[in-house]
Amino acid sequence: MILLTGGAGYIGLHSAVALIEAGHEVVLFDNFSNSKPEGVRRLVKIVGREVACVEGDVRSASDMAAVFARYSIDAVIHFAGLKAVGESVEQPLRYYDNNVAGTLVLLAAMQQAGVRRIVFSSSATVYGAPDFSPIPESAALRPANTYGRTKLMVEEILRDLHASAPDWSVALLRYFNPVGAHSSGQIGEDPSGIPNNLMPFVAQVAVGRRAELNVFGGDYPTPDGTGVRDYIHVMDLADGHRAAVDRVLGDPRDVLTVNLGTGVGYSVLDLVRAFERACCRPIPYRIALRRPGDVPASWGDPSLAGQQLQWTARRSLDDMCRDSWNWQKQNPDGFA
Ligand code: NAD
Ligand code: WQD
């Protein structure tokens, strides 16, 4: 059985679909601080069977001990964490507590239960402003904000843990920009409040919840002046987790660090145009000031994941926009 901390969240639910369809048993564990039980009900609809789900907090040693006592866990995917960059700068203690201290409690519970296989949700944000793209895993690590530092700290904790106890099998997955939704339109990204990220903002403009998109910066040294990113379909990312779980279950007893991206960069306006094709309506936008902390361009080199996990992203930007729109138009107010 695979334990998915933060399993009721955006990437957790989509990964649960991929894992269950590949024949794995999963148990979701979540405190619902950034997700809703309705997401879990939708997952059940998609897979057509019950899915174990425990409400609890990774920072609680007793909650963690209880889940390891109740289920026979073979490996953990650790999605649970807070992810808003701006908020992390305003509330560093909350972010270090959830993301770093919470991980320590989880790892202690794993050690106690004799579970030594973990897949961790890291982020391309650990690279900060890259010297060049595509970014290989060997690039300099210099996260530019608190959120990014929490991710790098957990990577280092897991490397130190493996150095001290080489029977651990660890996969550190550095995601680029996850977008899109399951093709059913039953589950998708459901940010609370004003979306920080581009795709959910564009989708809310398309559905009429917001008047126009602010494009943060039109004077970057990129082909059209807007920021360039490596958008990856969440179901490709989910398949990457399935591949990483299969690897740690094979007890490689190492630490694998891989980028999960497509290796292709698209600009903000590329994404807006692709979304317009998907929803068949114009997306009003205006060029606004740059957002502080943004880098001009960042895309990943996913070749190591190809070699080590036999995984590669298959879905196009048009697929990402089509599925994101399908989710948004069926659920204009998300899971509410
Ligand atoms: P999400 O917020 O949708 O999911 C995270 C889940 O963790 C939520 O359901 C939340 O309720 C839960 N959670 C938070 N703190 C918890 C705690 N203390 N105990 C138990 N549950 C807790 O986010 P997501 O987009 O699915 O991201 C999943 C992971 O991937 C996160 O660790 C995030 O930092 C990382 N990541 C996300 C992105 C992205 O752009 N979405 C990119 C790179 C990395
Ligand atoms: C993408 C592009 C913006 C919103 C963030 C985190 C990162 C990772 C993924 C978790 C940029 C532009 C955006 C808008 C815009 N998360 N934009 N108008 O900043 O690459 O990455 O999410 O690990 O850590 O930093 O993603 O979707 O916010 O922005 O013009 O309203 O869209 O400037 O060029 P980002 P994003």
Side-chain angles (χ1 to χ4, degrees), residues 83 85 122-125 145 147 151 175-178 195-199 201 213-217 220 226-229 231 268 291 294-296:
K83 62 166 181 177
V85 171
S122 188
S123 170
T125 199
N145 53 62
Y147 167 70
K151 290 291 168 189
Y175 320 152
F176 280 73
N177 291 56
N196 294 310
N197 297 114
L198 178 64
M199 183 70 96
F201 200 105
L213 169 72
N214 283 315
V215 175
F216 297 143
Y220 282 114
T226 67
V228 170
R229 296 291 184 276
Y231 298 98
V268 175
R291 183 171 62 178
D294 273 358
V295 301

